Amino acid sequence: MTQALPKTKLVTFKEFVQWKPDGGRYELHDGVIVEMTQPLGDHEEITGFLATKIPIEYDRLKLPYFIPKTALVKPPENESGYSPDVLIINRSNLVNEPLWKKESTVTQAASIPLVIEVVSTNWRTDYYTKRGMYEEVGILEYWIVDYLALAGKSFIGNSKEPTISIYSLVEGEYQVRQFRGSDRIISPTFPELNLTAEQIFQAGNTTT
């Protein structure tokens, strides 16, 4: 869930990163500072599961990727900065990133092979705002893990089942494939990744 902080004026991205405290998690949405509320436990377990499994795959492939702790994604020509749940960064392109050294921020698609958002309550932000912004950056692959099936029926269908939507950039626009239950995840970035949607959802349901 997100909550906009009361501000008398819009702020620039530069002002935001200078202001942003070490504690808490904040994003900038079109000049508005937004505090990200404490996520649910299941959300954290699913995020942790993915942040454990995906590195195994890029290590196996000997790719120069890593998952940062608090890095931001900044769309071009926009006073926004997003903190994805799982952000895969291509280390080899960081030399070209003007904001990386001082602000741990990436702005180029070549630096971001994959980004993942796990939905808790703010599904509109993930499906509307971030999808549009990640498409604008040119990020090749974007996952929305909707383990509570919170999104509207126009996004996940009338059955309202837990769904993983994988958006792939094709000719500058996102096309989506969706995975549920025993469906094996098909990732353009990691085509040999051996995970099902159910395995990901069950990572947040360890008590049953």
Side-chain angles (χ1 to χ4, degrees):
M1 187 174 181
T2 60
Q3 179 179 349
L5 298 182
K7 286 285 180 181
T8 57
K9 67 179 183 68
L10 299 179
V11 302
T12 65
F13 180 79
K14 185 175 182 179
E15 289 171 332
F16 169 67
V17 294
Q18 291 174 344
W19 166 87
K20 192 163 72 72
D22 292 335
R25 185 179 171 200
Y26 299 88
E27 294 186 335
L28 186 67
H29 294 188
D30 290 318
V32 177
I33 296 174
V34 174
E35 182 177 12
M36 313 300 287
T37 57
Q38 183 67 20
L40 303 175
D42 288 350
H43 176 287
E44 293 292 80
E45 290 188 72
I46 290 172
T47 300
F49 177 80
L50 291 169
T52 300
K53 294 297 183 180
I54 292 175
I56 293 172
E57 187 64 9
Y58 62 65
D59 284 346
R60 183 183 71 82
L61 296 171
K62 295 181 171 54
L63 296 170
Y65 295 170
F66 72 100
I67 297 176
K69 183 179 179 182
T70 56
L72 296 171
V73 176
K74 182 187 183 303
E77 308 301 324
N78 188 284
E79 299 301 331
S80 296
Y82 301 108
S83 176
D85 290 312
V86 181
L87 171 62
I88 311 297
I89 285 185
N90 180 358
R91 184 180 284 107
S92 63
N93 192 63
L94 292 180
V95 67
N96 301 314
E97 286 285 0
L99 303 179
W100 178 253
K101 287 295 186 181
K102 293 185 177 180
E103 297 168 354
S104 62
T105 296
V106 287
T107 62
Q108 301 173 11
S111 301
I112 313 166
L114 172 64
V115 65
I116 300 174
E117 299 286 2
V118 180
V119 181
S120 282
T121 55
N122 57 321
W123 69 268
R124 288 176 177 82
T125 300
D126 294 328
Y127 282 92
Y128 285 107
T129 307
K130 292 187 177 181
R131 183 186 62 169
M133 288 301 176
Y134 293 156
E135 182 181 75
E136 181 182 340
V137 174
I139 296 171
L140 293 178
E141 186 172 348
Y142 170 38
W143 296 18
I144 300 178
V145 181
D146 194 348
Y147 70 97
L148 293 174
L150 293 174
K153 293 178 182 179
S154 62
F155 288 101
I156 60 173
N158 292 332
S159 62
K160 294 283 284 184
E161 294 179 59
T163 301
I164 297 173
S165 301
I166 295 185
Y167 293 86
S168 303
L169 201 68
V170 178
E171 296 182 355
E173 295 184 3
Y174 275 145
Q175 296 185 3
V176 64
R177 292 188 65 176
Q178 295 184 317
F179 305 88
R180 304 174 180 90
S182 61
D183 294 343
R184 179 180 171 271
I185 296 298
I186 298 175
S187 165
T189 304
F190 302 108
E192 296 179 54
L193 185 66
N194 189 19
L195 284 178
T196 66
E198 187 175 38
Q199 285 176 307
I200 294 170
F201 298 139
Q202 286 181 344
N205 192 26
T206 57
T207 59
T208 60

PDB file of all heavy atoms in Angstrom, residues 3-7 9-13 16 19 26-36 78-82:
ATOM      1  N   GLN A   3       1.097   5.640   0.478  1.00  0.00           N
ATOM      2  CA  GLN A   3       0.466   6.798   1.106  1.00  0.00           C
ATOM      3  C   GLN A   3       1.270   8.036   0.764  1.00  0.00           C
ATOM      4  O   GLN A   3       2.457   8.122   1.092  1.00  0.00           O
ATOM      5  CB  GLN A   3       0.383   6.610   2.628  1.00  0.00           C
ATOM      6  CG  GLN A   3      -0.247   7.791   3.347  1.00  0.00           C
ATOM      7  CD  GLN A   3      -0.339   7.556   4.843  1.00  0.00           C
ATOM      8  OE1 GLN A   3      -0.130   6.451   5.326  1.00  0.00           O
ATOM      9  NE2 GLN A   3      -0.646   8.602   5.561  1.00  0.00           N
ATOM     10  N   ALA A   4       0.642   8.990   0.086  1.00  0.00           N
ATOM     11  CA  ALA A   4       1.330  10.223  -0.279  1.00  0.00           C
ATOM     12  C   ALA A   4       1.560  11.067   0.967  1.00  0.00           C
ATOM     13  O   ALA A   4       0.674  11.221   1.802  1.00  0.00           O
ATOM     14  CB  ALA A   4       0.511  10.997  -1.304  1.00  0.00           C
ATOM     15  N   LEU A   5       2.772  11.607   1.098  1.00  0.00           N
ATOM     16  CA  LEU A   5       3.081  12.474   2.221  1.00  0.00           C
ATOM     17  C   LEU A   5       2.601  13.888   1.924  1.00  0.00           C
ATOM     18  O   LEU A   5       2.667  14.341   0.782  1.00  0.00           O
ATOM     19  CB  LEU A   5       4.585  12.482   2.479  1.00  0.00           C
ATOM     20  CG  LEU A   5       5.217  11.143   2.854  1.00  0.00           C
ATOM     21  CD1 LEU A   5       6.695  11.334   3.131  1.00  0.00           C
ATOM     22  CD2 LEU A   5       4.547  10.535   4.064  1.00  0.00           C
ATOM     23  N   PRO A   6       2.098  14.582   2.948  1.00  0.00           N
ATOM     24  CA  PRO A   6       1.645  15.958   2.700  1.00  0.00           C
ATOM     25  C   PRO A   6       2.816  16.863   2.349  1.00  0.00           C
ATOM     26  O   PRO A   6       3.784  16.969   3.079  1.00  0.00           O
ATOM     27  CB  PRO A   6       1.011  16.357   4.043  1.00  0.00           C
ATOM     28  CG  PRO A   6       1.633  15.452   5.052  1.00  0.00           C
ATOM     29  CD  PRO A   6       1.928  14.172   4.337  1.00  0.00           C
ATOM     30  N   LYS A   7       2.730  17.496   1.182  1.00  0.00           N
ATOM     31  CA  LYS A   7       3.778  18.404   0.724  1.00  0.00           C
ATOM     32  C   LYS A   7       3.126  19.659   0.150  1.00  0.00           C
ATOM     33  O   LYS A   7       2.068  19.581  -0.472  1.00  0.00           O
ATOM     34  CB  LYS A   7       4.653  17.742  -0.358  1.00  0.00           C
ATOM     35  CG  LYS A   7       5.607  16.694   0.204  1.00  0.00           C
ATOM     36  CD  LYS A   7       6.767  17.352   0.923  1.00  0.00           C
ATOM     37  CE  LYS A   7       7.719  16.303   1.491  1.00  0.00           C
ATOM     38  NZ  LYS A   7       8.835  16.908   2.214  1.00  0.00           N
ATOM     39  N   LYS A   9       4.509  21.506  -2.157  1.00  0.00           N
ATOM     40  CA  LYS A   9       4.861  21.651  -3.562  1.00  0.00           C
ATOM     41  C   LYS A   9       5.427  20.344  -4.081  1.00  0.00           C
ATOM     42  O   LYS A   9       5.833  19.470  -3.315  1.00  0.00           O
ATOM     43  CB  LYS A   9       5.912  22.749  -3.733  1.00  0.00           C
ATOM     44  CG  LYS A   9       7.280  22.432  -3.135  1.00  0.00           C
ATOM     45  CD  LYS A   9       8.251  23.570  -3.370  1.00  0.00           C
ATOM     46  CE  LYS A   9       9.639  23.237  -2.844  1.00  0.00           C
ATOM     47  NZ  LYS A   9      10.305  22.157  -3.608  1.00  0.00           N
ATOM     48  N   LEU A  10       5.405  20.216  -5.393  1.00  0.00           N
ATOM     49  CA  LEU A  10       6.022  19.056  -6.005  1.00  0.00           C
ATOM     50  C   LEU A  10       7.537  19.173  -5.883  1.00  0.00           C
ATOM     51  O   LEU A  10       8.089  20.270  -5.834  1.00  0.00           O
ATOM     52  CB  LEU A  10       5.624  18.969  -7.483  1.00  0.00           C
ATOM     53  CG  LEU A  10       4.126  18.820  -7.767  1.00  0.00           C
ATOM     54  CD1 LEU A  10       3.884  18.766  -9.274  1.00  0.00           C
ATOM     55  CD2 LEU A  10       3.548  17.592  -7.085  1.00  0.00           C
ATOM     56  N   VAL A  11       8.203  18.028  -5.832  1.00  0.00           N
ATOM     57  CA  VAL A  11       9.654  18.033  -5.691  1.00  0.00           C
ATOM     58  C   VAL A  11      10.277  17.380  -6.918  1.00  0.00           C
ATOM     59  O   VAL A  11       9.662  16.556  -7.596  1.00  0.00           O
ATOM     60  CB  VAL A  11      10.117  17.307  -4.405  1.00  0.00           C
ATOM     61  CG1 VAL A  11       9.505  17.958  -3.187  1.00  0.00           C
ATOM     62  CG2 VAL A  11       9.764  15.832  -4.447  1.00  0.00           C
ATOM     63  N   THR A  12      11.497  17.750  -7.203  1.00  0.00           N
ATOM     64  CA  THR A  12      12.240  17.131  -8.288  1.00  0.00           C
ATOM     65  C   THR A  12      12.859  15.827  -7.791  1.00  0.00           C
ATOM     66  O   THR A  12      12.944  15.570  -6.579  1.00  0.00           O
ATOM     67  CB  THR A  12      13.358  18.054  -8.790  1.00  0.00           C
ATOM     68  OG1 THR A  12      14.326  18.221  -7.732  1.00  0.00           O
ATOM     69  CG2 THR A  12      12.802  19.412  -9.188  1.00  0.00           C
ATOM     70  N   PHE A  13      13.319  15.021  -8.741  1.00  0.00           N
ATOM     71  CA  PHE A  13      13.969  13.775  -8.351  1.00  0.00           C
ATOM     72  C   PHE A  13      15.225  14.063  -7.532  1.00  0.00           C
ATOM     73  O   PHE A  13      15.504  13.383  -6.533  1.00  0.00           O
ATOM     74  CB  PHE A  13      14.322  12.942  -9.585  1.00  0.00           C
ATOM     75  CG  PHE A  13      14.992  11.641  -9.241  1.00  0.00           C
ATOM     76  CD1 PHE A  13      14.252  10.558  -8.809  1.00  0.00           C
ATOM     77  CD2 PHE A  13      16.369  11.508  -9.321  1.00  0.00           C
ATOM     78  CE1 PHE A  13      14.868   9.359  -8.462  1.00  0.00           C
ATOM     79  CE2 PHE A  13      16.998  10.319  -8.987  1.00  0.00           C
ATOM     80  CZ  PHE A  13      16.239   9.243  -8.559  1.00  0.00           C
ATOM     81  N   PHE A  16      14.285  14.841  -4.098  1.00  0.00           N
ATOM     82  CA  PHE A  16      13.806  13.627  -3.442  1.00  0.00           C
ATOM     83  C   PHE A  16      14.955  12.787  -2.901  1.00  0.00           C
ATOM     84  O   PHE A  16      14.939  12.368  -1.740  1.00  0.00           O
ATOM     85  CB  PHE A  16      12.971  12.812  -4.433  1.00  0.00           C
ATOM     86  CG  PHE A  16      12.637  11.425  -3.971  1.00  0.00           C
ATOM     87  CD1 PHE A  16      11.790  11.215  -2.896  1.00  0.00           C
ATOM     88  CD2 PHE A  16      13.166  10.312  -4.631  1.00  0.00           C
ATOM     89  CE1 PHE A  16      11.474   9.922  -2.478  1.00  0.00           C
ATOM     90  CE2 PHE A  16      12.856   9.032  -4.230  1.00  0.00           C
ATOM     91  CZ  PHE A  16      12.008   8.837  -3.146  1.00  0.00           C
ATOM     92  N   TRP A  19      16.519  14.335   0.076  1.00  0.00           N
ATOM     93  CA  TRP A  19      15.652  14.295   1.258  1.00  0.00           C
ATOM     94  C   TRP A  19      15.503  12.893   1.828  1.00  0.00           C
ATOM     95  O   TRP A  19      15.404  12.708   3.039  1.00  0.00           O
ATOM     96  CB  TRP A  19      14.264  14.826   0.879  1.00  0.00           C
ATOM     97  CG  TRP A  19      13.212  14.520   1.902  1.00  0.00           C
ATOM     98  CD1 TRP A  19      12.879  15.257   2.998  1.00  0.00           C
ATOM     99  CD2 TRP A  19      12.357  13.361   1.941  1.00  0.00           C
ATOM    100  NE1 TRP A  19      11.867  14.643   3.709  1.00  0.00           N
ATOM    101  CE2 TRP A  19      11.534  13.467   3.084  1.00  0.00           C
ATOM    102  CE3 TRP A  19      12.212  12.240   1.111  1.00  0.00           C
ATOM    103  CZ2 TRP A  19      10.579  12.510   3.426  1.00  0.00           C
ATOM    104  CZ3 TRP A  19      11.269  11.279   1.456  1.00  0.00           C
ATOM    105  CH2 TRP A  19      10.462  11.413   2.597  1.00  0.00           C
ATOM    106  N   TYR A  26      10.530   4.819   0.358  1.00  0.00           N
ATOM    107  CA  TYR A  26       9.803   5.910  -0.289  1.00  0.00           C
ATOM    108  C   TYR A  26      10.003   5.847  -1.798  1.00  0.00           C
ATOM    109  O   TYR A  26      11.040   5.400  -2.287  1.00  0.00           O
ATOM    110  CB  TYR A  26      10.307   7.259   0.227  1.00  0.00           C
ATOM    111  CG  TYR A  26      10.114   7.453   1.713  1.00  0.00           C
ATOM    112  CD1 TYR A  26      11.091   7.022   2.614  1.00  0.00           C
ATOM    113  CD2 TYR A  26       8.966   8.057   2.215  1.00  0.00           C
ATOM    114  CE1 TYR A  26      10.924   7.188   3.978  1.00  0.00           C
ATOM    115  CE2 TYR A  26       8.787   8.228   3.581  1.00  0.00           C
ATOM    116  CZ  TYR A  26       9.768   7.784   4.456  1.00  0.00           C
ATOM    117  OH  TYR A  26       9.591   7.940   5.813  1.00  0.00           O
ATOM    118  N   GLU A  27       8.992   6.328  -2.518  1.00  0.00           N
ATOM    119  CA  GLU A  27       9.079   6.488  -3.962  1.00  0.00           C
ATOM    120  C   GLU A  27       8.634   7.904  -4.309  1.00  0.00           C
ATOM    121  O   GLU A  27       7.982   8.585  -3.510  1.00  0.00           O
ATOM    122  CB  GLU A  27       8.196   5.469  -4.690  1.00  0.00           C
ATOM    123  CG  GLU A  27       8.640   4.030  -4.520  1.00  0.00           C
ATOM    124  CD  GLU A  27       7.848   3.047  -5.365  1.00  0.00           C
ATOM    125  OE1 GLU A  27       6.683   3.358  -5.726  1.00  0.00           O
ATOM    126  OE2 GLU A  27       8.373   1.972  -5.650  1.00  0.00           O
ATOM    127  N   LEU A  28       8.973   8.315  -5.518  1.00  0.00           N
ATOM    128  CA  LEU A  28       8.535   9.606  -6.031  1.00  0.00           C
ATOM    129  C   LEU A  28       7.651   9.350  -7.246  1.00  0.00           C
ATOM    130  O   LEU A  28       8.094   8.741  -8.217  1.00  0.00           O
ATOM    131  CB  LEU A  28       9.735  10.471  -6.427  1.00  0.00           C
ATOM    132  CG  LEU A  28       9.405  11.907  -6.849  1.00  0.00           C
ATOM    133  CD1 LEU A  28       8.885  12.716  -5.666  1.00  0.00           C
ATOM    134  CD2 LEU A  28      10.643  12.581  -7.445  1.00  0.00           C
ATOM    135  N   HIS A  29       6.389   9.815  -7.172  1.00  0.00           N
ATOM    136  CA  HIS A  29       5.434   9.615  -8.256  1.00  0.00           C
ATOM    137  C   HIS A  29       5.056  10.969  -8.834  1.00  0.00           C
ATOM    138  O   HIS A  29       4.286  11.723  -8.231  1.00  0.00           O
ATOM    139  CB  HIS A  29       4.174   8.898  -7.751  1.00  0.00           C
ATOM    140  CG  HIS A  29       4.403   7.500  -7.285  1.00  0.00           C
ATOM    141  ND1 HIS A  29       3.371   6.639  -6.948  1.00  0.00           N
ATOM    142  CD2 HIS A  29       5.550   6.788  -7.088  1.00  0.00           C
ATOM    143  CE1 HIS A  29       3.871   5.475  -6.569  1.00  0.00           C
ATOM    144  NE2 HIS A  29       5.189   5.544  -6.648  1.00  0.00           N
ATOM    145  N   ASP A  30       5.637  11.297  -9.980  1.00  0.00           N
ATOM    146  CA  ASP A  30       5.345  12.579 -10.636  1.00  0.00           C
ATOM    147  C   ASP A  30       5.489  13.755  -9.676  1.00  0.00           C
ATOM    148  O   ASP A  30       4.621  14.629  -9.598  1.00  0.00           O
ATOM    149  CB  ASP A  30       3.937  12.570 -11.240  1.00  0.00           C
ATOM    150  CG  ASP A  30       3.841  11.646 -12.453  1.00  0.00           C
ATOM    151  OD1 ASP A  30       4.778  11.649 -13.272  1.00  0.00           O
ATOM    152  OD2 ASP A  30       2.843  10.931 -12.573  1.00  0.00           O
ATOM    153  N   GLY A  31       6.582  13.769  -8.940  1.00  0.00           N
ATOM    154  CA  GLY A  31       6.877  14.878  -8.041  1.00  0.00           C
ATOM    155  C   GLY A  31       6.271  14.767  -6.664  1.00  0.00           C
ATOM    156  O   GLY A  31       6.532  15.620  -5.799  1.00  0.00           O
ATOM    157  N   VAL A  32       5.478  13.730  -6.411  1.00  0.00           N
ATOM    158  CA  VAL A  32       4.843  13.533  -5.108  1.00  0.00           C
ATOM    159  C   VAL A  32       5.583  12.426  -4.354  1.00  0.00           C
ATOM    160  O   VAL A  32       5.742  11.310  -4.874  1.00  0.00           O
ATOM    161  CB  VAL A  32       3.358  13.150  -5.264  1.00  0.00           C
ATOM    162  CG1 VAL A  32       2.728  12.866  -3.895  1.00  0.00           C
ATOM    163  CG2 VAL A  32       2.592  14.252  -5.981  1.00  0.00           C
ATOM    164  N   ILE A  33       6.038  12.730  -3.139  1.00  0.00           N
ATOM    165  CA  ILE A  33       6.722  11.728  -2.319  1.00  0.00           C
ATOM    166  C   ILE A  33       5.682  10.776  -1.735  1.00  0.00           C
ATOM    167  O   ILE A  33       4.696  11.206  -1.133  1.00  0.00           O
ATOM    168  CB  ILE A  33       7.535  12.386  -1.194  1.00  0.00           C
ATOM    169  CG1 ILE A  33       8.660  13.243  -1.784  1.00  0.00           C
ATOM    170  CG2 ILE A  33       8.114  11.327  -0.262  1.00  0.00           C
ATOM    171  CD1 ILE A  33       9.426  14.041  -0.752  1.00  0.00           C
ATOM    172  N   VAL A  34       5.910   9.484  -1.930  1.00  0.00           N
ATOM    173  CA  VAL A  34       4.971   8.457  -1.488  1.00  0.00           C
ATOM    174  C   VAL A  34       5.695   7.522  -0.517  1.00  0.00           C
ATOM    175  O   VAL A  34       6.769   7.007  -0.832  1.00  0.00           O
ATOM    176  CB  VAL A  34       4.422   7.658  -2.686  1.00  0.00           C
ATOM    177  CG1 VAL A  34       3.556   6.501  -2.215  1.00  0.00           C
ATOM    178  CG2 VAL A  34       3.631   8.573  -3.612  1.00  0.00           C
ATOM    179  N   GLU A  35       5.102   7.317   0.645  1.00  0.00           N
ATOM    180  CA  GLU A  35       5.655   6.372   1.615  1.00  0.00           C
ATOM    181  C   GLU A  35       5.054   4.996   1.368  1.00  0.00           C
ATOM    182  O   GLU A  35       3.835   4.840   1.322  1.00  0.00           O
ATOM    183  CB  GLU A  35       5.359   6.814   3.045  1.00  0.00           C
ATOM    184  CG  GLU A  35       5.956   5.869   4.091  1.00  0.00           C
ATOM    185  CD  GLU A  35       5.724   6.344   5.509  1.00  0.00           C
ATOM    186  OE1 GLU A  35       4.912   7.289   5.698  1.00  0.00           O
ATOM    187  OE2 GLU A  35       6.359   5.792   6.422  1.00  0.00           O
ATOM    188  N   MET A  36       5.909   4.005   1.208  1.00  0.00           N
ATOM    189  CA  MET A  36       5.457   2.635   0.997  1.00  0.00           C
ATOM    190  C   MET A  36       5.219   2.015   2.370  1.00  0.00           C
ATOM    191  O   MET A  36       6.141   1.926   3.187  1.00  0.00           O
ATOM    192  CB  MET A  36       6.503   1.827   0.226  1.00  0.00           C
ATOM    193  CG  MET A  36       7.061   2.539  -1.006  1.00  0.00           C
ATOM    194  SD  MET A  36       5.799   2.955  -2.213  1.00  0.00           S
ATOM    195  CE  MET A  36       5.448   1.328  -2.869  1.00  0.00           C
ATOM    196  N   ASN A  78      11.004  12.481 -16.421  1.00  0.00           N
ATOM    197  CA  ASN A  78       9.892  12.340 -15.490  1.00  0.00           C
ATOM    198  C   ASN A  78      10.420  12.449 -14.070  1.00  0.00           C
ATOM    199  O   ASN A  78      11.432  11.831 -13.740  1.00  0.00           O
ATOM    200  CB  ASN A  78       9.209  10.983 -15.707  1.00  0.00           C
ATOM    201  CG  ASN A  78       7.926  10.832 -14.915  1.00  0.00           C
ATOM    202  OD1 ASN A  78       7.961  10.622 -13.713  1.00  0.00           O
ATOM    203  ND2 ASN A  78       6.799  10.942 -15.589  1.00  0.00           N
ATOM    204  N   GLU A  79       9.734  13.229 -13.233  1.00  0.00           N
ATOM    205  CA  GLU A  79      10.174  13.390 -11.852  1.00  0.00           C
ATOM    206  C   GLU A  79       9.595  12.280 -10.987  1.00  0.00           C
ATOM    207  O   GLU A  79       8.750  12.488 -10.112  1.00  0.00           O
ATOM    208  CB  GLU A  79       9.759  14.774 -11.331  1.00  0.00           C
ATOM    209  CG  GLU A  79      10.367  15.937 -12.094  1.00  0.00           C
ATOM    210  CD  GLU A  79      11.897  15.938 -12.073  1.00  0.00           C
ATOM    211  OE1 GLU A  79      12.491  15.434 -11.106  1.00  0.00           O
ATOM    212  OE2 GLU A  79      12.505  16.451 -13.039  1.00  0.00           O
ATOM    213  N   SER A  80      10.045  11.070 -11.270  1.00  0.00           N
ATOM    214  CA  SER A  80       9.607   9.893 -10.533  1.00  0.00           C
ATOM    215  C   SER A  80      10.806   9.020 -10.225  1.00  0.00           C
ATOM    216  O   SER A  80      11.836   9.077 -10.914  1.00  0.00           O
ATOM    217  CB  SER A  80       8.573   9.090 -11.344  1.00  0.00           C
ATOM    218  OG  SER A  80       7.395   9.824 -11.562  1.00  0.00           O
ATOM    219  N   GLY A  81      10.663   8.206  -9.197  1.00  0.00           N
ATOM    220  CA  GLY A  81      11.685   7.227  -8.849  1.00  0.00           C
ATOM    221  C   GLY A  81      11.021   6.067  -8.140  1.00  0.00           C
ATOM    222  O   GLY A  81      10.313   6.267  -7.143  1.00  0.00           O
ATOM    223  N   TYR A  82      11.206   4.850  -8.658  1.00  0.00           N
ATOM    224  CA  TYR A  82      10.514   3.678  -8.134  1.00  0.00           C
ATOM    225  C   TYR A  82      11.497   2.699  -7.501  1.00  0.00           C
ATOM    226  O   TYR A  82      12.622   2.525  -7.976  1.00  0.00           O
ATOM    227  CB  TYR A  82       9.734   2.987  -9.249  1.00  0.00           C
ATOM    228  CG  TYR A  82       8.707   3.891  -9.889  1.00  0.00           C
ATOM    229  CD1 TYR A  82       8.896   4.381 -11.182  1.00  0.00           C
ATOM    230  CD2 TYR A  82       7.576   4.273  -9.194  1.00  0.00           C
ATOM    231  CE1 TYR A  82       7.964   5.230 -11.762  1.00  0.00           C
ATOM    232  CE2 TYR A  82       6.638   5.126  -9.766  1.00  0.00           C
ATOM    233  CZ  TYR A  82       6.838   5.597 -11.046  1.00  0.00           C
ATOM    234  OH  TYR A  82       5.927   6.451 -11.618  1.00  0.00           O
TER     235      TYR A  82
END
